[in-house]
Coordinates of all heavy atoms in Angstrom, one line a residue:
M1406 N 143.9 124.8 113.4 CA 142.5 125.3 113.3 C 141.5 124.2 113.4 O 141.7 123.1 112.9 CB 142.5 125.9 111.9 CG 141.1 126.5 111.7 SD 141.0 127.2 110.0 CE 141.7 128.8 110.2
S1407 N 140.5 124.4 114.2 CA 139.5 123.4 114.4 C 138.4 123.5 113.3 O 138.2 124.5 112.6 CB 138.8 123.6 115.8 OG 138.1 124.8 115.8
P1408 N 137.7 122.4 112.9 CA 136.8 122.4 111.9 C 135.6 123.2 112.2 O 135.3 123.3 113.4 CB 136.5 121.0 111.6 CG 136.8 120.2 112.9 CD 138.0 121.0 113.5
R1409 N 134.8 123.7 111.4 CA 133.7 124.5 111.6 C 132.5 123.6 112.1 O 132.4 122.3 111.6 CB 133.1 125.2 110.4 CG 134.0 126.3 109.9 CD 133.2 126.9 108.7 NE 133.8 128.3 108.5 CZ 133.4 129.0 107.6 NH1 132.4 128.7 106.8 NH2 133.8 130.2 107.4
R1410 N 131.8 124.1 112.9 CA 130.6 123.3 113.4 C 129.4 123.8 112.6 O 129.2 125.0 112.3 CB 130.3 123.6 114.8 CG 131.2 123.0 115.7 CD 130.7 123.1 117.2 NE 131.5 122.6 118.1 CZ 131.2 122.3 119.4 NH1 130.1 122.6 119.8 NH2 132.1 121.7 120.1
A1411 N 128.6 122.9 112.2 CA 127.2 123.2 111.6 C 126.3 123.8 112.6 O 126.1 123.2 113.7 CB 126.7 122.0 111.0
R1412 N 125.9 125.0 112.4 CA 125.0 125.7 113.2 C 123.5 125.3 112.9 O 123.2 125.4 111.7 CB 125.0 127.2 113.1 CG 126.4 127.7 113.7 CD 126.5 129.2 113.7 NE 127.7 129.6 114.0 CZ 128.1 130.8 114.0 NH1 127.3 131.8 113.6 NH2 129.3 131.2 114.4
R1413 N 122.7 124.8 113.9 CA 121.4 124.5 113.6 C 120.5 125.9 113.6 O 120.7 126.7 114.5 CB 120.9 123.7 114.7 CG 121.5 122.2 114.6 CD 120.7 121.3 115.5 NE 121.4 120.0 115.3 CZ 120.9 118.9 116.0 NH1 119.8 119.0 116.7 NH2 121.5 117.9 115.8
R1414 N 119.8 125.9 112.6 CA 118.9 127.1 112.5 C 117.7 126.8 113.3 O 116.9 125.9 113.2 CB 118.6 127.3 111.0 CG 117.7 128.5 110.8 CD 117.6 128.7 109.3 NE 116.4 129.4 109.0 CZ 115.7 129.5 107.9 NH1 116.3 128.7 106.9 NH2 114.7 130.2 107.8
E1415 N 117.4 127.8 114.2 CA 116.1 127.6 115.0 C 114.8 127.9 114.2 O 114.9 128.9 113.4 CB 116.2 128.6 116.3 CG 117.3 128.2 117.1 CD 117.1 126.9 117.8 OE1 116.0 126.6 118.2 OE2 118.1 126.2 118.0
S1416 N 113.9 127.1 114.2 CA 112.7 127.2 113.4 C 111.8 128.3 114.2 O 111.7 128.4 115.4 CB 112.0 125.9 113.4 OG 110.7 126.1 112.8
S1417 N 111.2 129.2 113.3 CA 110.3 130.2 113.9 C 108.9 129.6 114.1 O 108.0 130.2 114.6 CB 110.3 131.4 113.0 OG 109.9 131.0 111.8
R1418 N 108.7 128.3 113.7 CA 107.3 127.8 113.7 C 107.2 127.3 115.1 O 108.1 126.6 115.7 CB 107.2 126.6 112.8 CG 107.2 127.1 111.3 CD 107.1 125.9 110.4 NE 107.1 126.3 109.0 CZ 107.0 125.5 108.1 NH1 106.8 124.2 108.3 NH2 107.1 125.9 106.9
P1419 N 106.0 127.4 115.6 CA 105.7 126.7 117.0 C 105.6 125.2 116.9 O 105.4 124.7 115.8 CB 104.3 127.3 117.4 CG 103.7 127.8 116.1 CD 104.8 128.1 115.2
F1420 N 106.0 124.5 117.9 CA 105.9 123.0 118.0 C 104.4 122.6 117.6 O 103.5 123.1 118.0 CB 106.2 122.6 119.3 CG 106.3 121.1 119.4 CD1 107.3 120.3 118.9 CD2 105.2 120.3 120.0 CE1 107.3 119.1 118.9 CE2 105.3 119.0 120.2 CZ 106.4 118.3 119.6
G1421 N 104.5 121.5 116.7 CA 103.2 121.1 116.2 C 102.5 121.7 115.0 O 101.5 121.4 114.6
F1422 N 103.2 122.8 114.5 CA 102.8 123.5 113.4 C 102.8 122.6 112.1 O 103.9 121.9 111.9 CB 103.6 124.8 113.2 CG 103.1 125.7 112.2 CD1 102.1 126.6 112.3 CD2 103.5 125.6 110.8 CE1 101.6 127.4 111.4 CE2 103.1 126.5 109.9 CZ 102.1 127.4 110.2
P1423 N 101.9 122.5 111.3 CA 101.9 121.5 110.2 C 103.1 121.9 109.3 O 103.2 123.1 108.9 CB 100.5 121.6 109.5 CG 99.9 122.9 110.1 CD 100.5 123.2 111.4
T1424 N 103.8 121.0 108.7 CA 104.9 121.3 107.8 C 104.4 121.3 106.3 O 105.0 121.9 105.6 CB 106.0 120.3 108.0 OG1 105.4 118.9 107.8 CG2 106.6 120.3 109.4
S1425 N 103.3 120.7 106.1 CA 102.8 120.7 104.7 C 101.8 121.7 104.5 O 101.1 122.1 105.5 CB 102.2 119.3 104.4 OG 101.0 119.1 105.1
L1426 N 101.8 122.3 103.3 CA 100.9 123.4 103.1 C 99.7 122.8 102.3 O 99.9 122.0 101.4 CB 101.5 124.5 102.3 CG 102.7 125.2 103.0 CD1 103.3 126.2 102.0 CD2 102.1 125.9 104.3
D1427 N 98.5 123.3 102.6 CA 97.3 123.0 101.8 C 97.3 123.8 100.5 O 97.6 124.9 100.6 CB 96.0 123.3 102.7 CG 95.9 122.5 104.0 OD1 96.7 121.6 104.1 OD2 95.3 123.1 104.9
K1428 N 96.9 123.1 99.5 CA 96.9 123.9 98.2 C 95.5 123.6 97.7 O 94.8 122.7 98.0 CB 97.9 123.4 97.2 CG 97.9 122.1 96.7 CD 98.9 121.7 95.8 CE 98.8 120.3 95.3 NZ 99.6 119.9 94.3
V1429 N 95.0 124.7 96.9 CA 93.6 124.6 96.4 C 93.8 124.1 94.9 O 94.6 124.7 94.2 CB 92.9 125.9 96.5 CG1 91.6 125.9 95.8 CG2 92.8 126.4 97.9
E1430 N 93.1 123.1 94.6 CA 93.0 122.6 93.2 C 91.7 122.8 92.6 O 90.6 122.7 93.2 CB 93.3 121.1 93.2 CG 94.8 120.7 93.6 CD 95.1 119.3 93.5 OE1 94.2 118.5 93.0 OE2 96.1 118.9 93.9
E1431 N 91.6 123.3 91.4 CA 90.4 123.4 90.6 C 90.1 122.3 89.8 O 90.9 122.0 88.9 CB 90.4 124.8 89.7 CG 90.4 126.1 90.7 CD 90.3 127.3 89.9 OE1 89.7 127.2 88.8 OE2 90.9 128.3 90.3
W1432 N 89.0 121.6 89.9 CA 88.6 120.5 89.1 C 87.1 120.8 88.5 O 86.5 121.6 89.0 CB 88.5 119.2 90.0 CG 89.9 118.8 90.4 CD1 90.6 119.3 91.4 CD2 90.5 117.8 89.8 NE1 91.9 118.6 91.4 CE2 91.8 117.6 90.5 CE3 90.3 116.8 88.8 CZ2 92.8 116.6 90.2 CZ3 91.3 115.8 88.4 CH2 92.5 115.8 89.2
P1433 N 86.8 120.0 87.5 CA 85.4 120.2 86.9 C 84.4 120.1 88.0 O 83.2 120.6 87.9 CB 85.3 119.1 85.9 CG 86.7 118.8 85.5 CD 87.5 119.0 86.8
D1434 N 84.6 119.3 89.1 CA 83.6 119.2 90.2 C 83.8 120.1 91.3 O 83.2 119.9 92.4 CB 83.6 117.7 90.6 CG 84.9 117.2 91.1 OD1 86.0 118.1 91.1 OD2 85.0 116.3 91.9
G1435 N 84.5 121.1 91.1 CA 84.7 122.2 92.1 C 86.1 122.4 92.6 O 87.1 121.9 92.0
E1436 N 86.3 123.3 93.6 CA 87.6 123.6 94.2 C 87.8 122.6 95.4 O 86.9 122.5 96.2 CB 87.6 125.0 94.6 CG 87.8 126.1 93.6 CD 88.1 127.4 94.0 OE1 88.1 127.7 95.3 OE2 88.3 128.4 93.3
W1437 N 89.0 122.2 95.5 CA 89.3 121.3 96.6 C 90.6 121.7 97.3 O 91.5 122.2 96.6 CB 89.4 119.9 96.0 CG 88.3 119.3 95.4 CD1 87.9 119.5 94.1 CD2 87.2 118.6 96.0 NE1 86.6 118.8 93.9 CE2 86.2 118.3 95.0 CE3 87.0 118.0 97.3 CZ2 85.2 117.5 95.3 CZ3 85.9 117.3 97.5 CH2 84.9 117.1 96.6
K1438 N 90.6 121.6 98.6 CA 91.8 121.8 99.3 C 92.5 120.4 99.5 O 91.9 119.4 99.7 CB 91.6 122.4 100.7 CG 91.3 123.8 100.7 CD 91.2 124.3 102.1 CE 91.0 125.7 102.1 NZ 90.9 126.3 103.5
V1439 N 93.8 120.3 99.1 CA 94.5 119.0 99.1 C 95.7 119.2 99.9 O 96.6 120.2 99.8 CB 94.9 118.7 97.6 CG1 95.6 117.4 97.6 CG2 93.6 118.6 96.9
R1440 N 96.0 118.2 100.8 CA 97.3 118.2 101.5 C 97.9 116.8 101.3 O 97.3 115.8 101.5 CB 96.8 118.2 103.0 CG 98.1 118.2 104.0 CD 97.7 118.2 105.4 NE 97.0 119.5 105.7 CZ 96.1 119.6 106.7 NH1 95.9 118.7 107.6 NH2 95.6 120.9 106.9
M1441 N 99.1 116.9 100.9 CA 99.9 115.7 100.6 C 100.6 115.3 101.9 O 101.1 116.0 102.6 CB 101.1 116.0 99.6 CG 100.6 116.5 98.3 SD 99.6 115.3 97.3 CE 100.9 114.1 97.0
L1442 N 100.4 114.0 102.2 CA 101.1 113.4 103.5 C 102.1 112.4 103.0 O 102.0 111.6 102.3 CB 100.0 112.7 104.2 CG 98.8 113.7 104.7 CD1 97.8 112.7 105.5 CD2 99.3 114.7 105.7
N1443 N 103.3 112.5 103.7 CA 104.4 111.5 103.4 C 104.2 110.3 104.0 O 105.0 109.4 103.9 CB 105.7 112.3 103.7 CG 105.8 112.6 105.2 OD1 105.1 112.1 106.0 ND2 106.9 113.3 105.5
G1444 N 103.3 110.1 105.0 CA 103.0 108.9 105.6 C 103.6 108.6 107.0 O 103.1 107.9 107.8
S1445 N 104.7 109.4 107.3 CA 105.5 109.3 108.5 C 104.5 109.7 109.7 O 104.7 109.3 110.8 CB 106.8 109.8 108.5 OG 106.6 111.4 108.3
S1446 N 103.8 110.7 109.5 CA 102.9 111.2 110.6 C 101.6 110.5 110.7 O 101.0 110.6 111.7 CB 102.5 112.7 110.2 OG 101.8 112.7 109.0
S1447 N 101.2 109.5 109.8 CA 99.9 108.9 110.0 C 100.1 107.5 110.6 O 101.0 106.7 110.2 CB 99.2 108.7 108.6 OG 100.0 108.0 107.7
T1448 N 99.4 107.2 111.6 CA 99.5 106.0 112.3 C 98.3 105.1 112.1 O 98.3 104.0 112.3 CB 99.8 106.1 113.8 OG1 98.8 106.9 114.4 CG2 101.2 106.8 113.9
K1449 N 97.2 105.8 111.7 CA 95.9 105.1 111.5 C 95.7 104.5 110.1 O 96.4 105.0 109.2 CB 94.8 106.1 111.8 CG 94.6 106.4 113.2 CD 93.5 107.5 113.3 CE 92.3 107.2 112.6 NZ 91.2 108.2 112.8
N1450 N 94.9 103.6 110.0 CA 94.6 103.1 108.7 C 93.3 103.7 108.2 O 92.4 104.1 109.0 CB 94.3 101.5 108.7 CG 95.5 100.8 109.0 OD1 96.6 101.2 108.9 ND2 95.4 99.5 109.4
Y1451 N 93.2 104.1 106.9 CA 92.0 104.8 106.3 C 91.6 103.9 105.1 O 92.3 103.1 104.6 CB 92.4 106.2 105.8 CG 92.9 107.0 106.9 CD1 94.4 107.2 107.1 CD2 92.1 107.8 107.7 CE1 94.8 108.1 108.1 CE2 92.5 108.6 108.7 CZ 93.9 108.7 108.9 OH 94.4 109.5 109.9
R1452 N 90.4 104.2 104.7 CA 89.7 103.5 103.5 C 89.7 104.6 102.5 O 89.0 105.6 102.6 CB 88.4 103.1 103.9 CG 87.6 102.3 102.8 CD 87.6 100.9 102.8 NE 87.9 100.1 103.8 CZ 88.5 98.9 103.7 NH1 88.8 98.4 102.6 NH2 88.7 98.2 104.8
C1453 N 90.3 104.3 101.3 CA 90.2 105.2 100.1 C 88.8 105.2 99.5 O 88.4 104.0 99.1 CB 91.3 104.7 99.1 SG 91.3 105.8 97.6
P1454 N 88.3 106.3 99.4 CA 86.9 106.3 98.7 C 86.9 106.0 97.1 O 86.0 105.7 96.6 CB 86.4 107.7 98.9 CG 87.6 108.6 99.2 CD 88.6 107.6 99.8
G1455 N 88.1 106.0 96.6 CA 88.3 105.8 95.1 C 88.3 104.3 94.9 O 87.6 103.9 93.9
C1456 N 89.0 103.6 95.6 CA 89.2 102.2 95.2 C 88.7 101.3 96.3 O 88.6 100.0 96.2 CB 90.7 101.9 95.0 SG 91.7 102.0 96.4
D1457 N 88.2 101.8 97.5 CA 87.7 101.1 98.5 C 88.7 100.1 99.2 O 88.4 99.1 99.8 CB 86.4 100.3 98.2 CG 85.6 100.0 99.4 OD1 85.5 100.8 100.3 OD2 84.8 99.1 99.4
Q1458 N 90.0 100.5 99.0 CA 91.0 99.7 99.6 C 91.6 100.5 100.8 O 91.5 101.6 100.8 CB 92.2 99.4 98.6 CG 91.7 98.6 97.3 CD 91.2 97.1 97.8 OE1 91.9 96.5 98.5 NE2 90.1 96.8 97.3
E1459 N 92.4 99.7 101.6 CA 92.9 100.2 102.8 C 94.2 101.1 102.6 O 95.0 100.6 101.7 CB 93.2 99.2 103.8 CG 93.5 99.7 105.2 CD 93.6 98.6 106.2 OE1 94.6 97.8 106.1 OE2 92.6 98.3 107.0
I1460 N 94.3 102.3 103.2 CA 95.6 103.0 103.2 C 96.2 102.8 104.5 O 95.6 103.2 105.5 CB 95.3 104.5 102.9 CG1 94.6 104.8 101.6 CG2 96.6 105.3 103.0 CD1 94.1 106.2 101.5
R1461 N 97.3 102.0 104.6 CA 97.9 101.7 105.8 C 98.7 102.9 106.4 O 99.1 103.7 105.7 CB 98.8 100.5 105.7 CG 98.0 99.2 105.2 CD 98.9 98.1 105.1 NE 98.1 96.9 104.5 CZ 97.7 95.9 105.3 NH1 98.1 95.8 106.5 NH2 97.1 95.0 104.7
G1462 N 98.7 102.8 107.7 CA 99.5 103.9 108.4 C 101.0 103.9 107.8 O 101.6 102.8 107.7
G1463 N 101.5 105.0 107.7 CA 102.9 105.0 107.2 C 103.0 105.1 105.6 O 104.1 105.4 105.1
Q1464 N 101.9 104.9 104.9 CA 101.8 105.0 103.5 C 101.6 106.3 103.0 O 100.6 107.0 103.4 CB 100.8 104.0 103.0 CG 100.8 103.8 101.5 CD 99.7 102.9 101.0 OE1 99.0 102.3 101.8 NE2 99.7 102.7 99.7
P1465 N 102.4 106.9 102.1 CA 102.1 108.2 101.5 C 100.8 108.2 100.8 O 100.4 107.3 100.0 CB 103.3 108.4 100.6 CG 104.3 107.5 100.9 CD 103.6 106.4 101.5
H1466 N 100.0 109.4 101.0 CA 98.6 109.5 100.5 C 98.4 111.0 100.5 O 99.2 111.9 100.9 CB 97.7 108.6 101.1 CG 97.4 108.9 102.6 ND1 98.3 108.6 103.6 CD2 96.4 109.7 103.1 CE1 97.8 108.9 104.7 NE2 96.7 109.6 104.5
L1467 N 97.1 111.4 100.1 CA 96.7 112.8 100.3 C 95.4 112.8 101.0 O 94.6 111.9 101.1 CB 96.7 113.5 99.0 CG 95.8 112.9 97.8 CD1 94.4 113.6 98.0 CD2 96.3 113.3 96.4
V1468 N 95.1 114.0 101.5 CA 93.8 114.3 102.1 C 93.1 115.4 101.4 O 93.8 116.4 101.0 CB 93.9 114.7 103.6 CG1 92.6 115.1 104.2 CG2 94.7 113.7 104.4
A1469 N 91.9 115.3 100.9 CA 91.2 116.2 100.2 C 89.9 116.6 100.9 O 89.2 115.8 101.5 CB 91.1 115.8 98.8
W1470 N 89.4 117.8 100.7 CA 88.1 118.3 101.2 C 87.6 119.4 100.4 O 88.5 120.2 99.8 CB 88.1 118.6 102.7 CG 89.1 119.7 103.1 CD1 88.6 121.0 103.4 CD2 90.4 119.6 103.4 NE1 89.7 121.7 103.8 CE2 90.8 120.8 103.8 CE3 91.3 118.6 103.3 CZ2 92.2 121.1 104.1 CZ3 92.7 118.8 103.7 CH2 93.0 120.1 104.2
P1471 N 86.3 119.6 100.3 CA 85.8 120.8 99.4 C 86.3 122.1 100.1 O 86.4 122.2 101.2 CB 84.3 120.6 99.6 CG 84.1 119.3 100.1 CD 85.3 118.9 100.8
N1472 N 86.5 123.1 99.1 CA 86.9 124.4 99.5 C 85.8 125.3 99.7 O 85.6 126.2 99.0 CB 87.9 125.0 98.5 CG 88.6 126.3 98.9 OD1 88.7 126.5 100.1 ND2 89.0 127.0 98.0
W1473 N 85.1 125.1 100.8 CA 84.0 126.0 101.2 C 83.9 125.9 102.8 O 84.4 125.1 103.4 CB 82.6 125.6 100.6 CG 82.1 124.3 100.9 CD1 81.6 123.9 102.1 CD2 81.7 123.2 100.1 NE1 81.2 122.5 102.1 CE2 81.2 122.1 100.8 CE3 82.0 123.0 98.7 CZ2 80.8 120.9 100.3 CZ3 81.6 121.8 98.1 CH2 81.0 120.8 98.8
T1474 N 83.1 126.9 103.3 CA 83.1 126.9 104.7 C 82.3 125.6 105.2 O 81.3 125.2 104.7 CB 82.2 128.1 105.2 OG1 82.8 129.3 104.5 CG2 82.1 128.3 106.6
G1475 N 83.0 125.0 106.2 CA 82.4 123.7 106.7 C 82.9 122.5 105.9 O 82.6 121.3 106.3
G1476 N 83.7 122.7 104.8 CA 84.1 121.7 104.0 C 85.0 120.7 104.6 O 85.2 119.5 104.2
D1477 N 85.7 121.2 105.7 CA 86.8 120.4 106.3 C 86.2 119.2 107.1 O 86.9 118.3 107.4 CB 87.6 121.3 107.2 CG 86.8 122.0 108.3 OD1 85.6 122.2 108.2 OD2 87.4 122.4 109.4
E1478 N 84.9 119.3 107.3 CA 84.3 118.1 107.8 C 84.1 116.9 106.8 O 83.7 115.8 107.2 CB 82.9 118.4 108.5 CG 83.1 119.4 109.7 CD 81.9 119.7 110.4 OE1 80.8 119.0 110.2 OE2 81.8 120.7 111.2
E1479 N 84.3 117.2 105.6 CA 84.2 116.3 104.5 C 85.5 115.7 104.0 O 85.6 115.2 103.0 CB 83.4 116.9 103.3 CG 82.1 117.4 103.6 CD 81.1 116.4 103.9 OE1 81.1 115.2 103.3 OE2 80.3 116.5 104.9
R1480 N 86.5 115.8 104.9 CA 87.9 115.3 104.6 C 87.8 113.9 104.3 O 87.3 113.2 105.1 CB 88.8 115.7 105.7 CG 89.5 117.0 105.7 CD 90.6 117.1 106.7 NE 90.4 116.4 107.9 CZ 90.7 116.9 109.1 NH1 91.3 118.0 109.2 NH2 90.3 116.2 110.2
R1481 N 88.6 113.5 103.3 CA 88.8 112.1 102.9 C 90.3 111.8 102.6 O 90.9 112.6 102.0 CB 88.0 111.7 101.7 CG 86.4 111.9 102.0 CD 85.9 110.9 103.0 NE 84.4 111.0 103.2 CZ 83.9 111.7 104.1 NH1 84.6 112.4 104.9 NH2 82.6 111.9 104.2
H1482 N 90.7 110.7 103.0 CA 92.1 110.3 102.7 C 92.1 109.4 101.4 O 91.2 108.5 101.3 CB 92.7 109.4 103.9 CG 92.8 110.2 105.1 ND1 94.0 110.7 105.5 CD2 92.0 110.8 105.9 CE1 94.0 111.3 106.6 NE2 92.7 111.5 106.9
W1483 N 93.0 109.8 100.4 CA 92.9 109.0 99.1 C 94.3 108.5 98.8 O 95.2 109.2 99.1 CB 92.5 110.1 98.1 CG 91.1 110.7 98.1 CD1 90.6 111.5 98.9 CD2 90.1 110.2 97.1 NE1 89.3 111.8 98.6 CE2 89.0 111.1 97.5 CE3 90.0 109.4 96.0 CZ2 87.8 111.0 96.7 CZ3 88.9 109.4 95.2 CH2 87.7 110.1 95.7
H1484 N 94.4 107.5 98.1 CA 95.6 107.2 97.3 C 95.7 108.3 96.2 O 94.9 108.8 95.7 CB 95.6 105.8 96.5 CG 95.4 104.7 97.5 ND1 94.2 103.9 97.6 CD2 96.4 104.1 98.3 CE1 94.4 102.9 98.5 NE2 95.7 103.1 98.9
T1485 N 97.1 108.6 96.1 CA 97.2 109.8 95.1 C 96.7 109.5 93.8 O 96.1 110.3 93.1 CB 98.8 110.0 95.0 OG1 99.3 110.3 96.4 CG2 99.1 111.3 94.2
A1486 N 96.9 108.2 93.2 CA 96.5 107.8 91.9 C 94.9 107.8 91.8 O 94.3 108.2 90.9 CB 97.1 106.4 91.6
C1487 N 94.3 107.4 92.9 CA 92.8 107.3 93.0 C 92.3 108.7 92.9 O 91.2 109.0 92.2 CB 92.4 106.6 94.2 SG 92.8 104.9 94.3
W1488 N 92.9 109.6 93.6 CA 92.5 111.2 93.5 C 92.5 111.6 92.1 O 91.6 112.3 91.6 CB 93.3 111.9 94.4 CG 93.0 113.4 94.3 CD1 93.8 114.3 93.9 CD2 91.8 114.0 94.8 NE1 93.2 115.6 94.0 CE2 92.0 115.5 94.5 CE3 90.6 113.7 95.5 CZ2 91.0 116.4 94.9 CZ3 89.6 114.7 95.7 CH2 89.9 115.9 95.5
R1489 N 93.6 111.4 91.4 CA 93.8 111.9 90.0 C 92.8 111.3 89.1 O 92.5 111.9 88.0 CB 95.2 111.7 89.6 CG 96.3 112.4 90.6 CD 96.3 113.9 90.3 NE 97.2 114.5 91.3 CZ 96.9 115.5 92.0 NH1 95.7 116.1 91.9 NH2 97.7 116.0 92.9
K1490 N 92.4 110.0 89.3 CA 91.5 109.3 88.3 C 90.1 109.3 88.7 O 89.3 108.7 88.1 CB 92.1 107.9 88.3 CG 93.5 107.7 87.7 CD 93.6 108.1 86.3 CE 93.0 107.0 85.4 NZ 93.0 107.3 84.0
R1491 N 89.8 110.1 89.8 CA 88.3 110.0 90.4 C 87.3 110.4 89.3 O 86.2 110.0 89.4 CB 88.2 110.7 91.7 CG 88.2 112.1 91.5 CD 88.1 112.8 92.9 NE 87.8 114.2 92.8 CZ 88.7 115.1 92.3 NH1 89.8 114.8 91.9 NH2 88.2 116.4 92.2
L1492 N 87.7 111.4 88.4 CA 86.6 111.8 87.5 C 86.4 110.9 86.3 O 85.4 111.0 85.5 CB 87.1 113.1 86.9 CG 87.1 114.4 87.8 CD1 87.8 115.6 87.2 CD2 85.9 114.6 88.6
D1493 N 87.2 109.8 86.2 CA 87.1 108.8 85.2 C 86.2 107.7 85.5 O 86.0 106.8 84.8 CB 88.5 108.2 84.8 CG 89.4 109.3 84.1 OD1 88.8 110.4 83.7 OD2 90.6 109.1 84.1
R1494 N 85.7 107.8 86.7 CA 84.7 106.7 87.2 C 83.5 106.6 86.4 O 83.0 107.7 85.8 CB 84.3 106.9 88.6 CG 85.4 106.7 89.6 CD 84.8 106.8 90.9 NE 85.9 106.9 92.0 CZ 85.7 107.1 93.3 NH1 84.4 107.0 93.6 NH2 86.6 107.2 94.1
G1495 N 82.9 105.5 86.2 CA 81.7 105.4 85.5 C 80.5 105.9 86.1 O 80.5 106.2 87.3
P1496 N 79.3 105.9 85.4 CA 78.2 106.4 86.1 C 77.8 105.3 87.2 O 78.0 104.1 87.1 CB 77.1 106.4 85.0 CG 77.6 105.5 84.0 CD 79.1 105.6 84.0
G1497 N 77.0 105.8 88.2 CA 76.6 105.0 89.2 C 77.5 104.9 90.4 O 77.2 104.4 91.5
R1498 N 78.7 105.5 90.3 CA 79.7 105.4 91.4 C 79.8 107.0 91.8 O 79.9 107.8 90.9 CB 81.0 105.0 91.0 CG 81.0 103.5 90.7 CD 81.8 102.6 91.5 NE 82.5 103.0 92.6 CZ 83.7 102.6 92.9 NH1 84.4 101.9 92.1 NH2 84.2 103.0 94.1
S1499 N 79.9 107.1 93.1 CA 80.0 108.5 93.6 C 81.5 109.0 93.3 O 82.3 108.2 93.3 CB 79.7 108.5 95.1 OG 80.2 109.7 95.6
R1500 N 81.5 110.2 93.0 CA 83.0 110.7 92.7 C 83.6 111.2 94.0 O 84.7 111.7 94.0 CB 82.9 111.9 91.7 CG 82.5 111.4 90.3 CD 82.6 112.4 89.3 NE 82.5 111.8 88.1 CZ 82.1 112.4 87.0 NH1 81.8 113.6 87.0 NH2 81.9 111.8 85.8
Y1501 N 82.9 111.2 95.1 CA 83.5 111.6 96.3 C 83.0 110.8 97.5 O 81.8 110.5 97.6 CB 83.3 113.1 96.6 CG 84.1 113.6 97.8 CD1 85.5 113.6 97.8 CD2 83.5 114.1 98.9 CE1 86.1 114.0 98.8 CE2 84.1 114.5 100.0 CZ 85.5 114.5 99.9 OH 86.3 114.9 101.0

């Protein structure tokens, strides 16, 4: 008897379809759409608005934008810790 072969399951998603799902988070400063990125898909470097440090390509991080029509033009790439701590900033610093 020959060993079984593992069958590959064909994906019903079209090529290039995003694998991560956007989730909506409610915060005191409004509703935000948040997408977690594992870093393997990012090749560019971004500047985190929370700490003003660079997020290098390939580093896991998240993208957040306001949950309103046209809010996707306000997308920003954040370190995960900076996003969670953004409301703790002192006065005089923008929260977004």
Side-chain angles (χ1 to χ4, degrees):
M1406 181 182 278
S1407 62
R1409 287 184 164 182
R1410 284 189 184 193
R1412 293 184 185 174
R1413 290 189 180 188
R1414 186 174 152 196
E1415 294 296 321
S1416 175
S1417 61
R1418 295 181 181 179
F1420 183 72
F1422 189 83
T1424 56
S1425 65
L1426 298 174
D1427 302 338
K1428 63 180 181 177
V1429 177
E1430 295 184 2
E1431 292 185 34
W1432 288 79
D1434 59 347
E1436 286 188 354
W1437 299 88
K1438 285 189 180 179
V1439 178
R1440 178 182 300 159
M1441 301 297 291
L1442 300 175
N1443 62 11
S1445 64
S1446 62
S1447 63
T1448 58
K1449 290 175 47 177
N1450 293 340
Y1451 299 98
R1452 176 100 22 211
C1453 175
C1456 64
D1457 203 31
Q1458 299 296 311
E1459 194 173 72
I1460 302 171
R1461 297 182 185 252
Q1464 183 178 5
H1466 63 283
L1467 63 86
V1468 181
W1470 62 97
N1472 188 23
W1473 64 62
T1474 305
D1477 56 342
E1478 293 183 17
E1479 300 294 323
R1480 266 191 326 222
R1481 299 291 181 265
H1482 293 254
W1483 292 75
H1484 291 110
T1485 305
C1487 294
W1488 172 253
R1489 300 286 173 229
K1490 299 290 285 177
R1491 77 185 189 287
L1492 297 178
D1493 295 340
R1494 292 185 193 181
R1498 295 236 15 217
S1499 170
R1500 290 192 173 152
Y1501 189 65

